[in-house]
Amino acid sequence: MLQKKWWHEKTAYQIYPKSFCDSNGDGIGDLKGIISKLDYLKELGVDIIWLSPIYCSPLADQGYDISDYYNIDPRFGTMDDMDELLKEAKARNMYIIMDLVVNHCSDEHQWFQKACGDPEGEFGKYFYIETVKDGKLPNNWRSYFGGSVWEKLPGHEDKYYMHVFHKKQPDLNWENPKLRHEVYKMINWWLEKGVAGFRIDAIMNIKKPNIFTTYPADREDGLASIENMIRDAVGIDEFLHEMKMETFEKYNAFTVGEVFTDRPDALKAFIGNDGHFSTMFDFSETCAGKNEDGWYKCQPVVCGDEYKACAFGTQKRLGDLGFISNIIENHDEPRGVSHYIPAEDLNDTSKKMLAAVNIMLRGLPFIYQGQELGMTNVDFTSIDQIDDCSTQDEYKVALKAGLSADEAFHAVLPFSRDNARTPFHWNDSANAGFTSAAPWLMVNPNYVQINAKDQVGRQNSVFSWYKELISLRKNPEYKETIVYGEVIPYKAEQKNLMAYYRKGTDKTLLVAANYQNKAQDLKLPGTFKQVLMNNLDTLDLDGSTLHMPGYQVVILEL
Ligand code: TEU
Ligand code: CA
């Protein structure tokens, strides 16, 4: 049986600080900006706020390259601002969780600087540094952002360090107990400060197999995917168990893991009652349609039956093993509405449908900033408008594969991480009200139509729909059913219909969505007590047959 936890009934929200709200007119979002918007989040119904990294960083990977774990980057504010954010959140019964990025740090972190100064010394052992003879690198692994994982150690002709992400993100060597101890010390320092927990970044990468393993090349660059490394690494559980016992467990902290793995025992090991984390993200929908050759071969839109199969698959594997976290997007993914609904069908009705089928699943809903407004992908017109290092690399991969510049750009665009990273749309004034200066990344021109000022308080807006979904989830009458009720697919074989029961101890709900633009009929299982939510003004019922126009979704109490 799943042990109940305080956070199960909460709703979480991810803030990408650089793009949320700029308080001081430098074009970059900051902590003071976040504080000024806490009431907005409270109004939506948010309880837990995950902050993408705000630590000191050269921002080579937008803060996921940390140069000082104990300080706030001046661009985001000061430690006083952080203390104020914690205080203001607490006053509103909200919890702040930080991003824990400990697979790697920044090459500008003093550990790495010292390692460069003395590779054989204490800090050299914090990293993977190897002496290379005759130019033969220790392995042929390809970093996530392209090229070899090996880079020359500054100041040394014959030494290389390993980075599975950007070359400005040297991997920390978790085999070294001293390094692990430093990481735990830092985690506890933040927990002492009052953060409620962490989102745990790229965690599957901390365990490496023998680093002298060469894998069969899978592209013309002669390199092999890092997936090989993840698959072959044995023993990550010991690290994660130790980390939990030395840190989170002592503070009853909330943790959500960014776990990408094919391990059949993953759910039990990571989020079971004795799992390493409180919860982890379900990435089954985001991974659908992906291709190992690169983004240019991935499928831009995943919808209808594919989305349903992924969501139901996770729920089935999960059963009562643990509590998953559900998302439609994050700062690494395209906007959910653009990814899971064909462009020609994109409107408030279809956006509300996607919101309902996702939020009503069993699990902790995580909303990514702007999702609650129905923010969409961006019509970038040139690769020069893209800041994201991953998109820049994938663009090169597409060019190498023989696509023209124009083809390559359009092939990678649907997956660009910058789609979700453009500034938040607060209103329809200049720069969407995000900043009074030039924003660090362009604003999506559709802010004039899609913005918070227009939607908050407008009854039929996407924002109000999210607010209603969240409040239904918290409603004392339905809470037990929506938080803990079983998910049982209904008419799973009916095409482009996504319907499921939520069966609680004393109530049963039916979520039914027509996941396509054409009308379709749904035979209901019997009579129902009432309609709890409906994204259309009409309900076309004929006996027990519901005639559903395209993208209608209803939540019925049976
Ligand atoms: O992402 C880790 C990750 O595994 C990548 O697959 C990521 O989804 C991919 O690079 C997208 O192109 C985490 C963070 O969420 C991401 O923003 C960071 O870049 C990465 O770790 C390194 O810290
Ligand atoms: Ca600012």
Side-chain angles (χ1 to χ4, degrees), residues 297-308:
K297 274 200 185 168
C298 296
Q299 174 193 327
V301 180
V302 166
C303 52
D305 290 338
E306 236 177 313
Y307 185 86
K308 172 170 76 173

Side-chain angles (χ1 to χ4, degrees), residues 482-536:
I482 300 177
V483 175
Y484 293 111
E486 227 185 306
V487 171
I488 304 171
Y490 180 64
K491 296 203 178 288
E493 70 294 340
Q494 190 168 326
K495 229 176 138 3
N496 290 335
L497 174 92
M498 181 160 174
Y500 53 91
Y501 294 108
R502 295 303 316 275
K503 251 192 172 61
T505 47
D506 61 343
K507 278 194 172 49
T508 301
L509 307 183
L510 181 69
V511 181
N514 178 10
Y515 202 143
Q516 63 175 9
N517 60 17
K518 286 192 305 251
Q520 76 173 305
D521 285 352
L522 172 64
K523 185 101 177 89
L524 295 175
T527 54
F528 57 89
K529 285 201 190 104
Q530 56 171 325
V531 182
L532 296 177
M533 286 182 74
N534 179 357
N535 65 344
L536 297 177

Side-chain angles (χ1 to χ4, degrees), residues 56-356:
C56 293
S57 165
L59 306 187
D61 186 21
Q62 298 307 350
Y64 285 89
D65 47 321
I66 297 170
S67 53
D68 182 355
Y69 289 96
Y70 292 94
N71 275 301
I72 305 295
D73 192 283
R75 283 164 286 201
F76 296 130
T78 63
M79 197 54 85
D80 284 344
D81 296 339
M82 186 63 202
D83 290 334
E84 194 186 330
L85 173 61
L86 289 168
K87 195 177 111 220
E88 292 297 324
K90 194 165 186 193
R92 292 168 176 78
N93 289 319
M94 294 162 107
Y95 305 82
I96 302 288
I97 68 169
M98 299 278 276
D99 215 310
L100 184 66
V101 188
V102 289
N103 172 67
H104 45 265
C105 60
S106 163
D107 64 341
E108 297 182 31
H109 193 288
Q110 57 164 354
W111 293 339
F112 192 74
Q113 297 291 314
K114 288 180 182 160
C116 293
D118 179 13
E120 321 295 345
E122 180 184 351
F123 292 97
K125 299 192 181 69
Y126 276 34
F127 299 93
Y128 289 91
I129 296 174
E130 292 298 327
T131 304
V132 164
K133 288 195 193 82
D134 312 323
K136 184 143 178 24
L137 297 173
N139 63 40
N140 70 336
W141 306 350
R142 182 189 305 108
S143 87
Y144 287 102
F145 297 148
S148 166
V149 297
W150 296 98
E151 181 73 19
K152 209 169 253 178
L153 191 70
H156 303 266
E157 272 313 302
D158 61 341
K159 289 195 174 9
Y160 283 70
Y161 68 94
M162 177 155 58
H163 61 91
V164 304
F165 289 94
H166 197 280
K167 64 176 185 223
K168 283 183 72 63
Q169 293 169 307
D171 278 51
L172 291 165
N173 190 339
W174 275 69
E175 305 299 331
N176 179 352
K178 232 175 172 165
L179 173 274
R180 300 206 299 276
H181 178 78
E182 278 300 323
V183 168
Y184 305 155
K185 196 173 95 188
M186 179 273 290
I187 295 173
N188 289 332
W189 187 85
W190 281 103
L191 290 170
E192 280 296 330
K193 217 176 182 5
V195 306
F198 296 91
R199 172 267 186 183
I200 299 166
D201 185 71
I203 196 66
M204 294 312 287
N205 297 281
I206 64 171
K207 188 77 195 186
K208 275 85 174 162
N210 180 350
I211 62 165
F212 299 98
T213 314
T214 293
Y215 294 109
D218 50 35
R219 289 186 197 166
E220 283 187 358
D221 57 9
L223 303 175
S225 163
I226 210 84
E227 302 298 329
N228 295 292
M229 173 192 96
I230 305 251
R231 186 197 56 227
D232 283 359
V234 181
I236 193 172
D237 298 279
E238 279 90 85
F239 288 163
L240 296 181
H241 183 73
E242 180 184 88
M243 171 158 69
K244 176 185 169 185
M245 290 310 170
E246 296 285 331
T247 63
F248 316 136
E249 184 82 354
K250 297 184 186 170
Y251 293 83
N252 194 20
F254 166 82
T255 52
V256 50
E258 189 199 22
V259 176
F260 286 98
T261 176
D262 293 334
R263 265 171 59 172
D265 68 332
L267 290 169
K268 186 167 184 300
F270 288 88
I271 62 171
N273 284 335
D274 298 314
H276 304 312
F277 305 128
S278 309
T279 177
M280 64 194 245
F281 293 110
D282 178 24
F283 288 118
S284 59
E285 297 93 342
T286 56
C287 289
K290 292 261 153 88
N291 188 295
E292 286 179 0
D293 291 344
W295 288 357
Y296 74 96
K297 274 200 185 168
C298 296
Q299 174 193 327
V301 180
V302 166
C303 52
D305 290 338
E306 236 177 313
Y307 185 86
K308 172 170 76 173
C310 293
F312 287 176
T314 297
Q315 295 288 334
K316 189 171 176 205
R317 284 192 299 278
L318 191 64
D320 208 30
L321 265 182
F323 212 77
I324 199 93
S325 286
N326 294 311
I327 57 165
I328 62 167
E329 64 196 50
N330 64 30
H331 66 295
D332 291 334
E333 291 294 322
R335 287 291 181 176
V337 294
S338 302
H339 194 192
Y340 303 116
I341 300 167
E344 60 277 16
D345 295 353
L346 208 47
N347 54 43
D348 283 3
T349 302
S350 56
K351 289 174 182 181
K352 289 175 183 174
M353 181 229 60
L354 181 63

